Amino acid sequence: LCACFCFADDSSGNGVNALCEGGPLPGHSEVKRLQPNRDTVFFRDGVRRIDFVLSYVDDKDERKQERRKEFEANLQKEGLELETEDKSESKDHKTYFLKIHAPWEVLATYADVLNIKVPFKDSDMQHGPDVHLDWLSCPFRLPDHIMHPQTDYFTYPFDKNKMDFFLINDKETFFPPSTRNRIVFYILARVPYYREGYKDREKTGIKRLLNNGTYTAAFPLHDCRYWKRARNAECESERFNLYKHWARFLCFYKEQPLNLIKKYYGEKIGIYFAWLGFYTEMLFFAAVMGVICFTYGALSYGNNKSSEEICDANIGGSILMCPLCDKKCPFWKLNSTCFSSWQSHLFDNEGTIFFAIFMGIWVTLFLEFWKRRQARLEYEWDLVDFEEEQQQLQIRPEFEIKCTNRRENKITKEMEPYLPVTSKCARFCFSGATVIFWISLIVACIIGVIAYRLAVYAAFASIIKDPMRKIQLVGRFITPQLATSVTASCINFVIIMILNFFYEKVAIWITDMEIPKTHLEYENRLTIKIFMFQFVNYYSSCFYVAFFKGKFVGYPGKYSYMFGNFTKLRNEEVGCLVHCGSSFHILLVPVLMRNWWSSRKGRHNPENHYSRWEQDYVLLNFSQIGLFYEYLEMVIQFGFITLFVASFPLAPVLALFNNILEIRVDAWKFTTQFRRPVASKARNIGAWQEILNSVAILSVVTNAFIMAFTSDMIPRMVYLYAYSKDASMSGYINNSLSVYNISQIHPDNMPEENWHNSTTTCRYRDYRYPPGHERQYTHTMQFWHILAAKMAFIIIMEHVVFVVKFFVAWLIPDVPSDVKARIKRERYLIQEYLHKYEVERLKVQLSASFITEPRSETSLTPDKHEVVSECS
């Protein structure tokens, strides 16, 4: 093997370099001539590969020096080979770099322990041809060597006792770099650093050494610089290929090289990008329907009879409305809301109902088709037989260290650490109480924001002049309701960010305190805790605007107040899709903008550091739970576009554009900004799958209630088919407003300004009998008809969507039939090859035992017949 040298000069006189030559990508120029023996992934001998790098600064701390000495001595006892780069060789002349190489014996031993699958025969399975139109899909496809970087093999868990069964052509390259760094990290996480004879269980693993500052970093190396291909033909350039074909934004319309991502970063990261890409593809259909719904609202703009009546000076201009708040709010003319009524029609129209039903079906199709896509990836990535129980072999070092009690495993009959039931219950109770406390804190903050909305509404009403007396330009477009909603949403967003910052640290702390046994268990517990918090944190304000605002107002003679009449915080009256949508996109848009900002604040000059380990050292560390935050961001977005999509049909469009950017930003961060993560396996997206299923079911209910109680569609339909005299919407505005006698309004509810007008009554939004009626100010029969229609709509919509949902789930199998057939065929072939190998091995052993026996005349003939009979 040759060292992976990356020369800076372009002069090349041999054919090998010419074949591998790749020019620098646009925007990246060489900064200096690199030393040939420095930009390499090999030891100084050019043969042994660097599988892991540890860095530290010698600060003359004797305790740290002693820890490093013992730790490195124990690494060598495990069979690892070490090589140190002196600080004088580093750019800052302060940092030492310890390079680690795992020889064949170590790799083989731990591959056996971890049940790592390796190839034993070229696959003769024919993959079905891709169903696509070549002429149509060609612009979106990548070169075949990028999409399929590896030959397809039959694989089997590695066994040191069956070395000749596997395709071991070269021991140095048999295990790929991702597998090598996974094995080395497994060792680093479990090697102690205490002196021999002074056993201290807590002094174990690289994680503790990083936490106490003994080492400053621990990471596997990238294979080359991302902006220029390695010159040597035998050197890998996978990072360069990923950057060129995947991470650049100009590739946004191209398919993702999922197989190359899996090969370089591992299956866990590969499955994330596969899910994100599939989610983005499915968003395209939701975005198209959202645009159609919005376009319908825009095209039917001129046929909106309700808005015409509101804006008509003879109708809306003659209707005097009751004050919207106490003291500060004057009486006002209905036509002052002319612009808001037109704006509301864009989102609240007949098409919105069909869009809400479509999204209920869309989310089912998305989840069902993802299961099929996931099953195909499991087969293609050889994860079919990968059981989560295998991760029991990978017990978290923290669990082994902190759990001093031992008991016999009923299956393996070996002693293993365990956490007593009493300790486990106490930890869970404390953890649950902490989560409840923080969720209660969020609810308290939301109540505070609601109180702010009620308190400042009157102030905005006095600032924005009454249009009946003096119409200002700003007053035509910004109503007190809209100003209150926007400012409250902004304050709520700031509170969300602050609480997120603190709670994430608390969630990690209490999850660590629970001492989960495996990494999978740790991630699932952390996922549930943080998502519960984020669900309440992000969505509570949207739930308030959608389901509570404007629903418990009362009427002029008996207004409802928050916390009772003594608070003087009168409940908000107006609740419509416009305000729900404004709260929705104020929370969603900053999340989308975060991706753009993250692409601008990255590190842009890692190439200034001339050695391979120093180039990677200055990059950002990607933690073991780093992928968790990527999933969380997308699932929160998924909740926005499903739970409240009826209030803002353009949400899928924003999400689509965000995800196109998200894929390339994440790819750019992985290839240029992050150190190479330690490869790990996963066959699915874990606990996120159940969270998505739960959100999907809840979204059907929320959208049904939004359409029934927040939208104005049901009252309009009831009026059109039951109360309209000419089967039109003429007169709907007058019909939807009740009458109240101004002289009966309590003085505390009257405006501070003197009221001088001949009008004796004002109008308010409700269905109540007028003054003078024998049942004055009680609900009319039309109110109950509308309420019955709303409840019927909810029941019908939920049943229709759920019936379609479960029918689609039944109709579409989770695993495609061709994949099932291939899995069975492959298992049969593997067993057949394994059986042949065992038979041949037995024959060889019998032949060897026959040859080594003494060849006496008396014993030779019987033994021969015996051997022949056994082998026949």
Side-chain angles (χ1 to χ4, degrees):
L1 292 175
C2 66
C4 186
F5 301 148
C6 301
F7 297 96
D9 65 307
D10 291 332
S11 59
S12 176
N14 55 58
V16 173
N17 285 343
L19 287 173
C20 300
E21 186 170 331
L25 295 171
H28 298 279
S29 59
E30 297 298 321
V31 294
K32 62 169 68 177
R33 184 182 299 272
L34 300 178
Q35 300 178 20
N37 63 336
R38 303 285 290 165
D39 192 30
T40 175
V41 292
F42 292 90
F43 275 18
R44 297 189 190 98
D45 57 18
V47 176
R48 291 175 295 171
R49 185 183 186 93
I50 302 172
D51 296 313
F52 230 86
V53 174
L54 306 181
S55 65
Y56 62 91
V57 177
D58 190 0
D59 52 6
K60 307 304 180 183
D61 187 329
E62 293 183 359
R63 295 179 61 186
K64 292 180 181 179
Q65 291 176 354
E66 184 65 25
R67 291 177 195 145
R68 284 193 290 267
K69 179 181 177 182
E70 296 297 332
F71 186 68
E72 292 167 17
N74 289 330
L75 289 179
Q76 290 176 320
K77 290 179 182 178
E78 290 290 331
L80 298 177
E81 298 175 2
L82 312 178
E83 185 177 85
T84 303
E85 288 288 332
D86 191 76
K87 65 179 181 181
S88 61
E89 299 292 331
S90 64
K91 187 176 180 65
D92 60 5
H93 300 292
K94 296 179 181 179
T95 307
Y96 292 85
F97 292 94
L98 178 67
K99 297 175 289 185
I100 303 175
H101 168 75
W104 170 256
E105 284 300 321
V106 174
L107 294 172
T109 300
Y110 281 93
D112 194 348
V113 170
L114 298 175
N115 285 331
I116 293 175
K117 287 188 173 183
V118 294
F120 69 89
K121 181 180 175 57
D122 291 333
S123 175
D124 56 6
M125 295 284 293
Q126 294 294 325
H127 290 275
D130 294 333
V131 180
H132 61 272
L133 299 175
D134 289 335
W135 62 272
L136 187 61
S137 63
C138 186
F140 308 102
R141 299 184 67 81
L142 293 174
D144 189 65
H145 74 280
I146 300 297
M147 291 301 298
H148 305 285
Q150 286 180 300
T151 307
D152 198 10
Y153 295 103
F154 288 134
T155 60
Y156 190 75
F158 187 81
D159 188 342
K160 284 186 69 175
N161 299 320
K162 300 177 182 177
M163 299 282 280
D164 54 338
F165 177 65
F166 303 102
L167 293 177
I168 306 177
N169 298 321
D170 186 345
K171 291 183 178 180
E172 295 298 327
T173 59
F174 180 67
F175 293 107
S178 58
T179 301
R180 297 174 69 101
N181 69 54
R182 178 186 167 200
I183 291 174
V184 173
F185 183 75
Y186 181 86
I187 299 171
L188 291 173
R190 286 159 177 79
V191 167
Y193 56 89
Y194 47 76
R195 291 183 183 179
E196 188 173 352
Y198 293 89
K199 192 170 184 178
D200 186 348
R201 294 187 54 81
E202 292 192 359
K203 293 184 176 181
T204 302
I206 187 62
K207 184 175 180 180
R208 289 186 63 86
L209 291 171
L210 291 170
N211 290 339
N212 60 33
T214 304
Y215 290 99
T216 56
F219 53 92
L221 290 178
H222 284 292
D223 60 0
C224 69
R225 293 169 289 165
Y226 68 85
W227 71 95
K228 186 174 177 65
R229 186 190 301 275
R231 289 299 189 85
N232 197 297
E234 296 183 14
C235 297
E236 302 131 347
S237 297
E238 292 174 355
R239 187 189 186 196
F240 168 82
N241 287 331
L242 285 169
Y243 179 76
K244 179 180 178 181
H245 298 284
W246 179 50
R248 292 191 298 166
F249 183 73
L250 293 178
C251 301
F252 73 91
Y253 62 94
K254 296 280 189 179
E255 60 185 336
Q256 295 189 86
L258 295 177
N259 290 319
L260 185 58
I261 297 169
K262 183 268 297 185
K263 182 174 181 286
Y264 192 73
Y265 292 113
E267 290 82 357
K268 191 171 185 178
I269 291 177
I271 205 76
Y272 163 72
F273 280 104
W275 175 81
L276 179 57
F278 184 81
Y279 171 43
T280 304
E281 292 171 9
M282 291 295 292
L283 270 178
F284 173 78
F285 302 101
V288 169
M289 290 301 298
V291 171
I292 292 174
C293 177
F294 181 80
T295 304
Y296 172 81
L299 294 178
S300 59
Y301 207 65
N303 299 325
N304 183 12
K305 190 66 177 177
S306 299
S307 296
E308 288 181 0
E309 291 186 350
I310 291 175
C311 298
D312 192 325
N314 296 324
I315 301 177
S318 63
I319 296 177
L320 183 70
M321 301 296 294
C322 299
L324 294 176
C325 64
D326 298 339
K327 300 293 184 180
K328 298 294 183 182
C329 297
F331 293 93
W332 53 286
K333 294 289 187 178
L334 181 61
N335 64 351
S336 64
T337 61
C338 176
F339 178 77
S340 297
S341 67
W342 288 112
Q343 186 183 26
S344 176
H345 179 72
L346 292 175
F347 303 105
D348 188 8
N349 53 70
E350 292 81 1
T352 309
I353 295 178
F354 296 100
F355 182 64
I357 296 174
F358 168 81
M359 287 302 296
I361 299 172
W362 173 88
V363 72
T364 302
L365 292 174
F366 163 64
L367 293 175
E368 292 302 319
F369 282 124
W370 165 245
K371 290 177 185 178
R372 291 171 62 85
R373 174 66 172 141
Q374 188 170 254
R376 193 173 295 276
L377 285 175
E378 287 179 16
Y379 168 72
E380 293 176 356
W381 291 357
D382 203 15
L383 296 170
V384 174
D385 296 322
F386 174 75
E387 300 293 339
E388 303 297 354
E389 286 76 13
Q390 292 182 13
Q391 297 194 10
Q392 297 300 321
L393 295 171
Q394 303 180 36
I395 295 176
R396 295 176 67 239
E398 294 83 356
F399 184 84
E400 295 177 327
I401 293 169
K402 295 180 180 179
C403 296
T404 57
N405 297 297
R406 290 286 191 273
R407 68 181 176 188
E408 185 182 65
N409 187 304
K410 296 180 180 179
I411 299 174
T412 63
K413 299 300 181 181
E414 296 178 356
M415 299 301 292
E416 65 176 11
Y418 80 100
L419 191 65
V421 176
T422 53
S423 176
K424 186 181 293 186
C425 291
R427 293 170 187 271
F428 281 174
C429 290
F430 179 78
S431 175
T434 304
V435 172
I436 293 173
F437 168 77
W438 277 88
I439 291 179
S440 302
L441 183 61
I442 299 172
V443 174
C445 291
I446 295 302
I447 293 174
V449 172
I450 295 172
Y452 161 83
R453 299 173 70 108
L454 303 181
V456 303
Y457 179 82
F460 279 118
S462 62
I463 293 173
I464 301 174
K465 300 300 183 180
D466 178 18
M468 186 182 70
R469 294 172 298 176
K470 185 179 180 181
I471 298 178
Q472 295 184 350
L473 179 63
V474 68
R476 297 177 57 192
F477 301 100
I478 302 179
T479 63
Q481 297 95 331
L482 185 60
T484 302
S485 180
V486 170
T487 56
S489 298
C490 292
I491 293 173
N492 184 56
F493 179 76
V494 173
I495 292 174
I496 287 174
M497 293 297 102
I498 294 174
L499 291 178
N500 278 352
F501 175 79
F502 289 104
Y503 181 75
E504 286 179 4
K505 298 181 183 300
V506 172
I508 293 174
W509 174 68
I510 59 178
T511 306
D512 289 337
M513 185 266 302
E514 291 176 7
I515 321 179
K517 187 175 183 179
T518 65
H519 291 290
L520 178 66
E521 192 177 336
Y522 180 90
E523 290 180 5
N524 288 344
R525 290 187 187 181
L526 183 63
T527 297
I528 298 300
K529 288 183 182 67
I530 292 190
F531 182 77
M532 287 173 58
F533 176 85
Q534 299 284 27
F535 184 90
V536 179
N537 201 9
Y538 274 103
Y539 303 142
S540 54
S541 61
C542 291
F543 272 101
Y544 164 73
V545 175
F547 304 123
F548 297 98
K549 180 184 175 184
K551 308 299 187 299
F552 308 99
V553 179
Y555 58 96
K558 191 178 181 181
Y559 284 120
S560 300
Y561 291 85
M562 186 178 184
F563 306 127
N565 294 341
F566 66 91
T567 62
K568 301 300 181 182
L569 296 177
R570 185 168 133 190
N571 290 342
E572 295 178 275
E573 291 198 24
V574 181
C576 64
L577 288 186
V578 171
H579 297 141
C580 185
S582 67
S583 300
F584 172 81
H585 75 258
I586 284 173
L587 294 177
L588 179 61
V589 170
V591 175
L592 310 185
M593 293 298 295
R594 189 189 310 162
N595 288 329
W596 173 82
W597 178 249
S598 65
S599 67
R600 297 184 56 86
K601 68 176 183 178
R603 300 168 181 260
H604 296 284
N605 296 302
E607 62 267 27
N608 291 335
H609 303 271
Y610 54 88
S611 68
R612 163 61 34 224
W613 39 93
E614 285 183 280
Q615 290 180 45
D616 288 4
Y617 175 69
V618 298
L619 298 178
L620 301 174
N621 180 51
F622 187 79
S623 66
Q624 283 187 298
I625 61 170
L627 209 58
F628 165 82
Y629 296 103
E630 305 296 337
Y631 274 117
L632 179 64
E633 180 183 348
M634 287 296 99
V635 173
I636 291 295
Q637 180 207 91
F638 178 80
F640 274 124
I641 69 164
T642 54
L643 294 173
F644 309 102
V645 71
S647 66
F648 191 55
L650 292 180
V653 179
L654 295 179
L656 176 63
F657 288 129
N658 170 76
N659 286 11
I660 292 173
L661 178 63
E662 173 79 18
I663 291 174
R664 303 305 160 179
V665 169
D666 284 352
W668 175 79
K669 289 190 297 186
F670 270 97
T671 53
T672 69
Q673 304 299 298
F674 286 132
R675 298 169 187 158
R676 186 173 184 172
V678 177
S680 58
K681 283 183 173 288
R683 64 180 301 179
N684 51 46
I685 61 176
W688 297 110
Q689 183 74 44
E690 295 305 319
I691 290 175
L692 291 174
N693 289 333
S694 301
V695 172
I697 294 173
L698 182 61
S699 68
V700 177
V701 179
T702 57
N703 283 297
F705 272 84
I706 287 174
M707 293 307 303
F709 289 99
T710 305
S711 170
D712 204 31
M713 284 302 304
I714 303 300
R716 288 202 295 259
M717 300 300 287
V718 170
Y719 174 80
L720 178 64
Y721 293 109
Y723 290 90
S724 176
K725 297 179 180 179
D726 55 357
S728 71
M729 291 302 297
S730 298
Y732 168 72
I733 294 300
N734 186 64
N735 175 267
S736 64
L737 298 176
S738 298
V739 180
Y740 198 83
N741 193 330
I742 294 178
S743 62
Q744 295 178 339
I745 297 178
H746 193 277
D748 291 341
N749 303 134
M750 286 291 289
E752 291 178 343
E753 299 177 1
N754 294 327
W755 172 249
H756 302 288
N757 197 299
S758 59
T759 306
T760 58
T761 60
C762 64
R763 310 294 292 272
Y764 60 98
R765 182 68 185 272
D766 207 342
Y767 294 92
R768 295 178 182 272
Y769 290 109
H773 193 277
E774 60 180 5
R775 300 179 60 190
Q776 68 175 6
Y777 306 140
T778 60
H779 284 124
T780 64
M781 187 58 65
Q782 186 175 353
F783 170 84
W784 300 109
H785 288 166
I786 292 174
L787 181 62
K790 289 180 177 180
M791 300 306 297
F793 173 81
I794 292 173
I795 295 173
I796 293 172
M797 179 177 171
E798 287 183 355
H799 280 69
V800 168
V801 174
F802 280 131
V803 167
V804 173
K805 175 183 176 66
F806 291 120
F807 175 74
V808 169
W810 170 81
L811 185 66
I812 302 175
D814 292 347
V815 182
S817 58
D818 64 314
V819 172
K820 287 182 180 179
R822 289 180 185 179
I823 290 173
K824 292 178 181 178
R825 171 66 177 164
E826 187 167 317
R827 285 176 175 169
Y828 167 76
L829 292 176
I830 290 174
Q831 290 300 320
E832 185 179 23
Y833 290 136
L834 191 60
H835 174 71
K836 289 181 180 179
Y837 167 78
E838 294 291 353
V839 170
E840 291 297 326
R841 188 181 183 187
L842 180 60
K843 288 181 179 179
V844 171
Q845 290 176 351
L846 291 173
S847 299
S849 63
F850 169 73
I851 293 172
T852 56
E853 286 181 0
R855 292 177 175 269
S856 63
E857 254 181 55
T858 56
S859 63
L860 181 58
T861 304
D863 288 345
K864 185 185 293 184
H865 286 298
E866 184 180 353
V867 172
V868 171
S869 65
E870 287 181 3
C871 295
S872 59

